[in-house]
Amino acid sequence: MSTDKFALRRELRRARARLTPGYRHAAARAVARHAARLTGSGRRIGAYLAAGTELDLEPLMSAALFRGAELYLPVIPNRARRLWFSRLGPDPDGWYVNPRYRITEYDGPVLRAEKLDVLLVPLVGVDADGYRLGQGGGFYDATLAFRRRHGHGPLVIGVAFECQRVAAVPREPWDMPLDALLTERGLFRFGQRQPSSHVSPSPEQAQ
């Protein structure tokens, strides 16, 4: 694996794109099962709508809403990079497309990441120490900067396919590790060698 961020992103996106539709579907359902104990009634869960070849969080989000959790989706501000999170509601007319970034957002009550219980974050790659390689926009770095000052806030969990795990990713001085990682193999807390949830057999992966 390359130590250059641009090359590493390219390699990992290609690996993710090679996964079959059947594998993706099975992986999304497996991730929803592994996340079940994180998404209980009344919990404030920050999630996101998968884009491109990212792992689909729809099964996880549907299960969380069924259990009575509050679901929040990111909203990109007009200025700066610190995300707001908007509570998903029943109004089908609440959906709109961000005019600048062309991503789908929901118009609901908003709060900052500090107020969430669990924050699920997308990534391109993640290493053995929990350091995340993102898309390069810096939105989650800015959003989670408060953790460097205060050390509190939600449980921050990356979501990825197993093929997105690498030994090490390039790091910047401001980078902070994730608390845990969700993949089709289980929920892994960094600093522990074993997953903290039951690991079921992974779906068959495309060669």
Side-chain angles (χ1 to χ4, degrees):
M1 281 290 178
S2 173
T3 56
D4 174 80
K5 283 188 176 183
F6 296 102
L8 183 55
R9 285 191 184 100
R10 183 172 59 249
E11 292 172 25
L12 291 172
R13 285 170 178 150
R14 286 175 177 172
R16 191 171 65 185
R18 287 194 292 266
L19 300 175
T20 65
Y23 187 91
R24 295 174 181 282
H25 181 69
R29 289 187 287 111
V31 162
R33 292 195 304 272
H34 298 314
R37 65 190 185 86
L38 301 172
T39 57
S41 179
R43 303 206 80 186
R44 292 176 170 180
I45 311 298
Y48 59 91
L49 300 178
T53 59
E54 290 177 343
L55 193 149
D56 185 11
L57 288 187
E58 193 280 329
L60 186 158
M61 292 191 290
S62 294
L65 289 172
F66 180 78
R67 295 186 187 101
E70 297 177 7
L71 197 64
Y72 291 80
L73 299 177
V75 175
I76 300 177
N78 292 329
R79 293 182 176 86
R81 294 183 181 275
R82 188 181 175 203
L83 297 171
W84 288 96
F85 290 85
S86 173
R87 184 176 178 181
L88 183 61
D91 183 5
D93 295 325
W95 296 101
Y96 65 95
V97 176
N98 183 295
R100 181 177 181 184
Y101 294 98
R102 310 305 299 171
I103 66 169
T104 302
E105 299 177 341
Y106 190 83
D107 184 14
V110 295
L111 49 70
R112 291 294 194 186
E114 293 93 314
K115 301 298 183 182
L116 297 169
D117 296 307
V118 175
L119 176 58
L120 304 174
V121 299
L123 54 87
V124 179
V126 60
D127 69 20
D129 295 321
Y131 284 90
R132 166 185 173 271
L133 179 66
Q135 297 281 11
F139 292 103
Y140 282 93
D141 290 332
T143 301
L144 297 173
F146 71 90
R147 301 182 86 199
R148 293 195 298 273
R149 299 188 299 269
H150 307 296
H152 62 75
L155 187 68
V156 180
I157 303 176
V159 182
F161 294 102
E162 278 288 321
C163 67
Q164 294 172 252
R165 300 178 73 171
V166 297
V169 299
R171 301 176 190 178
E172 305 294 346
W174 55 81
D175 287 341
M176 295 189 67
L178 301 165
D179 295 313
L181 175 69
L182 265 172
T183 78
E184 65 270 34
R185 292 291 184 98
L187 172 63
F188 301 85
R189 292 187 183 274
F190 291 104
Q192 298 179 3
R193 296 189 62 183
Q194 298 299 322
S196 55
S197 66
H198 173 69
V199 179
S200 59
S202 64
E204 183 178 352
Q205 185 171 354
Q207 298 297 320

